[in-house]
Amino acid sequence: MRIAELSRRTGVPIPTIKYYLREGLVPAGERTGPNQAQYGEAHVKRLKLARALVEVGGLSIASAREALRLMFSAGLSELDTIGKAQYAMTPAREYVEDEAWDEAVTEVDELIAKRGWRVKATNPARRTLADALATLRRLDQDDYFELLDSYAETAERLADTEIETVARRGDLDSVAEAVVVWTAVGDTVVASLRRLAQEDRSTRLLGNP
């Protein structure tokens, strides 16, 4: 199919397709002329995935590109695929390392140890969590920390359900795809459900009609 048909099949505008091609999120088509290329079903799937990760999951182009690369890499075990894909989707950033940061890093380490989680020291989510907790400290939101254990318990139940469901797919390609999509788009789902539940509960508890 030509790029116009690829756009029609996926709902992705042609300028966006060309951008994703330039950025390596979607592989190049088969050249049929100086300015022409043919695309297949694999491009349809890859383009839909790329759009979901960037536009719904909110990943940066670099994170989406790396996640997609890992999804379609050969020679990785299921565990390696899950780990590398999750790491790729946690954006690298600069952190303000002050007293609040030091306290937060310690709190994250203690929480992980308390829960008995087998988590690598290199997992970027450790620093992301520490940054969030440090920010709460700087804003004097100390009572938030009373909720950490509840959040951790909820995260464990969610992770158990997700990993058990994904593992039933069997083949590695499908597992890798589910991990990437569920992590990126699933974060948006969980955040949306939380906001809906917060409105419901605040209305019930605070008596707002």
Side-chain angles (χ1 to χ4, degrees):
M1 74 187 81
R2 301 280 294 276
I3 194 169
E5 175 67 8
L6 181 62
S7 175
R8 188 189 68 78
R9 288 277 305 277
T10 60
V12 180
I14 291 177
T16 302
I17 295 176
K18 292 181 177 179
Y19 175 59
Y20 286 173
L21 286 165
R22 288 197 305 271
E23 293 296 327
L25 273 69
V26 178
E30 180 182 352
R31 287 291 176 186
T32 58
N35 296 306
Q36 295 182 352
Q38 287 288 329
Y39 303 92
E41 292 303 317
H43 291 90
V44 172
K45 180 177 181 179
R46 182 75 170 255
L47 185 54
K48 288 180 178 179
L49 286 170
R51 187 183 198 186
L53 296 181
V54 174
E55 297 185 14
V56 181
L59 296 188
S60 68
I61 294 297
S63 295
R65 180 171 54 241
E66 179 63 8
L68 287 166
R69 184 188 70 80
L70 290 166
M71 282 176 60
F72 297 97
S73 293
L76 294 177
S77 68
E78 289 187 6
L79 186 59
D80 283 339
T81 299
I82 292 172
K84 290 180 182 296
Q86 287 181 332
Y87 286 18
M89 288 184 287
T90 304
R93 48 189 289 188
E94 297 294 326
Y95 300 104
V96 178
E97 299 188 8
D98 54 8
E99 183 178 349
W101 167 263
D102 291 338
E103 291 178 0
V105 169
T106 299
E107 286 165 334
V108 170
D109 289 342
E110 290 176 347
L111 176 65
I112 290 173
K114 178 182 178 181
R115 307 300 306 184
W117 291 351
R118 292 181 290 179
V119 179
K120 292 181 180 179
T122 55
N123 189 322
R126 298 177 77 124
R127 291 176 64 84
T128 302
L129 177 57
D131 184 48
L133 297 183
T135 300
L136 289 166
R137 287 288 190 206
R138 297 184 193 110
L139 296 173
D140 298 321
Q141 301 295 318
D142 294 339
D143 48 351
Y144 187 93
F145 290 80
E146 299 173 7
L147 306 177
L148 277 182
D149 276 331
S150 295
Y151 282 133
E153 290 172 5
T154 301
E156 285 175 358
R157 291 196 299 272
L158 182 60
D160 283 341
T161 302
E162 289 176 338
I163 298 302
E164 288 172 3
T165 302
V166 166
R168 290 200 295 268
R169 292 194 174 196
D171 66 288
L172 181 56
D173 288 344
S174 183
V175 169
E177 179 181 334
V179 168
V180 170
V181 174
W182 290 18
T183 299
V185 181
D187 284 350
T188 302
V189 172
V190 171
S192 299
L193 288 171
R194 182 188 183 206
R195 285 164 175 75
L196 292 169
Q198 284 176 334
E199 179 179 348
D200 171 71
R201 290 302 183 260
S202 63
T203 300
R204 294 171 186 271
L205 294 174
L206 301 178
N208 186 28

